Amino acid sequence: MSWLTKFLTSSIGRKLIMSLTGLFLVLFLIVHLAGNLQLLINDQGATFNAYAYTMTHNPLIKFIAYGNYFFILLHAVQGILLAIKNRQAKGSKYAVSTNKTASWASKNMALLGILIFAFLCIHMGDFWFKMKFTDIPMVAVEGLDYKVANLYSKVEASFAQWWIVLIYLIGLLALAYHLQHGFQSAFQTLGLNHKKYTPLIHSLGRIFSIVLPLGYAIIPILYLGNSMGWWTWFG
Amino acid sequence: MKLTLKVWRQDNTQDKGRFETHQVVANEHMSFLEMMDVLNESLIAEKKVPVAFEHDCREGICGTCNMVINGRPHGPQKGTTVCQLHMRAFKDGDTIVIEPWRATAFPVIKDLVVDRSAFDRIIEAGGYISVNTGQAQDANAIPIEKDLSSQAFDAATCIGCGACVAACPNGSAMLFTSAKVAHLGLLPQGKVESSKRVQSMVSQMDEEGFGLCSNTGACEAECPKEISIVNIAMLNREYMSSVLGSKVTV
Ligand code: HEM
Ligand code: SF4
Ligand code: FES
């Protein structure tokens, strides 16, 4: 075995892959949220549609997007394999359960990951797949000399269904717990545990684990309420 | 005090094992192991097979007195081994469930005794300093920063009991291995070989079939010597820098 294969298949090497891909996904989550919050602008989706057009047509962004798909798959496959390996390494269970000291999230990262993955499949099927492979009506946007797909109206239609919104909220709750343990864990895996910085990393992790899912959750909730007439966000 | 014990009995590694219930009269000044001795004496008097459990120093330094008591390795007290646990930690009428360490790399030999030779093989892979020691040097011949020596000393208090593996939901041996790597690698005498040591020890640890570290922190919470997972971060760092940054391949 070459030194590199040995490294990447060693216990620490495999965790390094989890950590780096996980942190990349956190970065992605931040950028994706910033983009999606444009859905809250009250302009019949003009800003958002133009943004979505750029995201699907810029070659650099396309390249990063494919990298992103690859990292999610790598993270998910590796995560499941680790969970199986760890279950085998533990073998039998205690009659009286131990580790009340370890957080629930830290012991259920694979379960949370599978929930996130299931959500991602539904999410991609609903928007990305339809955007790519079905005809979404085109609209003109002020200031652009070409027409763009009206993804906004697709979002509006999806988020008018309460069960889709519910699936989103479940996915986001799983993400919240995944990040609650995952963010700080990734730094420990990288070997970064320091008296001065670790408390900051823990706080940042807690903030991310609340703010990111909450930021995402606001969008479907506002849309659902709007379509149900609970409130009027869009005039 | 009257106690009901539910003790794990297993004749050998292949045996499926089962719980056996016994009544014991103990007093609160006894150590947990002395209470187990009382149980065994009564079993012997009844011509039954005594419960096999390991013990040696009975003062918290050998790391053999290993049992999971009511779901916690080394019992309910923080920072102590089973031999340092006293019956005053329990109440009259309590039911106490006693199980062996559970991890695939620590197969049960009999009852509460598990085979921890995987730890020995990790040590053999690099947990030493290969120089001829000769006579002990003058203590002040090699200056060592106080912070470093304290950190190394804290890591060196690991007694190799395996409670970290027992507590870990993944059966991972990272806390033990990291304690050894930190203890030796932080001191000038051990630093010389640290690149090779960390790769050899991690490689052996993986071969033994221990799980991977999910950073749950269950190990440090149950370690009788309160070894910190800061050592695991250091192990990760040392391992990566050795593989990626040194010429050593193992
Ligand atoms: C956008 C979504 C996701 C983000 C931001 C994310 C982030 C992270 C981070 C930062 C870690 C910590 C890595 C470490 O401990 O070093 C982690 C661990 C983990 N992730 Fe994810 N993850 C995501 C999706 C998934 C998916 C889809 C799965 C599986 C189907 C998954 C399974 C796991 C598992 C099993 C671990 C624990 C590995 C271990 O410590 O043993 N994750 N994740
Ligand atoms: S690190 Fe702690 S729990 Fe693990 S073997 Fe050493 S003393 Fe025992
Ligand atoms: S008998 Fe030696 S540590 Fe308990």
Side-chain angles (χ1 to χ4, degrees), chain A residues 202-231:
Chain A
H202 279 243
S203 307
L204 198 61
R206 273 191 292 272
I207 292 171
F208 272 154
S209 72
I210 295 169
V211 171
L212 282 176
L214 208 60
Y216 280 107
I218 287 173
I219 303 168
I221 291 176
L222 276 182
Y223 272 73
L224 181 67
N226 206 61
S227 75
M228 293 288 190
W230 297 338
W231 51 67

Side-chain angles (χ1 to χ4, degrees), chain A residues 35-188:
Chain A
N36 288 359
L37 284 177
Q38 297 175 67
L39 279 165
L40 301 185
I41 301 171
N42 190 3
D43 62 356
Q44 296 302 311
T47 318
F48 178 75
N49 281 336
Y51 158 78
Y53 183 88
T54 318
M55 293 306 272
T56 43
H57 289 78
N58 180 318
L60 179 67
I61 290 173
K62 268 184 163 169
F63 177 75
I64 296 174
Y66 282 108
N68 193 33
Y69 302 145
F70 174 70
F71 285 150
I72 289 183
L73 284 179
L74 183 60
H75 184 90
V77 171
Q78 182 79 274
I80 302 287
L81 291 176
L82 294 194
I84 295 171
K85 158 89 195 157
N86 287 339
R87 189 172 277 249
Q88 285 166 349
K90 190 68 207 177
S92 50
K93 288 254 176 293
Y94 290 107
V96 181
S97 93
T98 42
N99 346 292
K100 289 188 186 73
T101 41
S103 73
W104 180 84
S106 74
K107 289 181 280 174
N108 290 283
M109 289 299 273
L111 172 68
L112 292 166
I114 289 169
L115 282 177
I116 298 171
F117 196 76
F119 161 77
L120 281 178
C121 293
I122 294 168
H123 174 61
M124 297 288 279
D126 208 22
F127 295 129
W128 178 82
F129 184 81
K130 295 222 166 91
M131 178 94 173
K132 281 253 152 158
F133 300 110
T134 62
D135 282 325
I136 288 190
M138 305 297 276
V139 286
V141 171
E142 229 186 272
L144 296 182
D145 48 9
Y146 46 83
K147 286 192 165 183
V148 300
N150 194 356
L151 192 60
Y152 166 81
S153 64
K154 178 73 200 78
V155 172
E156 204 175 21
S158 285
F159 290 166
Q161 288 155 289
W162 66 267
W163 58 274
I164 290 200
V165 174
L166 186 67
I167 290 174
Y168 272 67
L169 295 183
I170 294 172
L172 290 169
L173 190 66
L175 177 67
Y177 279 101
H178 201 76
L179 287 180
Q180 193 209 327
H181 175 68
F183 187 80
Q184 54 83 23
S185 171
F187 289 87
Q188 168 81 1

Side-chain angles (χ1 to χ4, degrees), chain A residues 1-4 6-16 78 81-83 85-103 105-109 181-182 184-195 198, chain B residues 19 68 70-73 97 99-105 147 165-172 174 199 202-203 205-207 209-218 221-222 228-237 239-240 243-244 249-250:
Chain A
M1 219 186 328
S2 90
W3 68 270
L4 191 60
K6 183 159 184 190
F7 174 55
L8 294 176
T9 53
S10 71
S11 54
I12 296 177
R14 293 172 76 182
K15 273 305 307 268
L16 176 67
Q78 182 79 274
L81 291 176
L82 294 194
K85 158 89 195 157
N86 287 339
R87 189 172 277 249
Q88 285 166 349
K90 190 68 207 177
S92 50
K93 288 254 176 293
Y94 290 107
V96 181
S97 93
T98 42
N99 346 292
K100 289 188 186 73
T101 41
S103 73
S106 74
K107 289 181 280 174
N108 290 283
M109 289 299 273
H181 175 68
Q184 54 83 23
S185 171
F187 289 87
Q188 168 81 1
T189 303
L190 289 174
L192 303 174
N193 187 328
H194 190 282
K195 223 158 80 183
T198 298
Chain B
F19 279 103
V68 172
N70 288 341
R72 299 197 50 193
V97 182
E99 300 174 73
W101 280 180
R102 292 199 190 278
T104 308
D147 254 8
V165 178
C168 177
N170 304 341
S172 167
M174 288 282 275
Q199 286 194 46
V202 168
S203 164
M205 176 184 83
D206 290 352
E207 235 165 79
F210 290 106
L212 284 71
C213 177
S214 291
N215 305 323
T216 67
E222 298 296 3
S228 157
I229 58 169
V230 166
N231 292 294
I232 297 183
M234 181 182 164
L235 172 67
N236 290 340
R237 214 159 56 228
Y239 181 72
M240 288 181 231
V243 173
L244 302 171
T249 44
V250 170

Side-chain angles (χ1 to χ4, degrees), chain B residues 88-102:
Chain B
R88 52 181 171 268
F90 300 89
K91 291 192 309 289
D92 184 38
D94 273 1
T95 298
I96 306 175
V97 182
I98 308 169
E99 300 174 73
W101 280 180
R102 292 199 190 278

Side-chain angles (χ1 to χ4, degrees), chain B residues 124-145:
Chain B
E124 280 163 26
Y128 50 79
I129 294 172
S130 38
V131 286
N132 298 325
T133 48
Q135 266 201 330
Q137 288 209 28
D138 180 71
N140 295 321
I142 309 171
I144 302 169
E145 204 185 322

Side-chain angles (χ1 to χ4, degrees), chain B residues 124-198:
Chain B
E124 280 163 26
Y128 50 79
I129 294 172
S130 38
V131 286
N132 298 325
T133 48
Q135 266 201 330
Q137 288 209 28
D138 180 71
N140 295 321
I142 309 171
I144 302 169
E145 204 185 322
K146 175 72 176 90
D147 254 8
L148 276 188
S149 69
S150 302
Q151 224 182 312
F153 184 80
D154 283 348
T157 58
C158 165
I159 53 177
C161 63
C164 42
V165 178
C168 177
N170 304 341
S172 167
M174 288 282 275
L175 193 65
F176 165 77
T177 308
S178 73
K180 301 304 167 194
V181 163
H183 153 210
L184 294 166
L186 284 167
L187 297 175
Q189 298 93 328
K191 222 183 181 80
V192 187
E193 294 169 287
S194 62
S195 278
K196 183 157 185 300
R197 173 182 309 117
V198 68

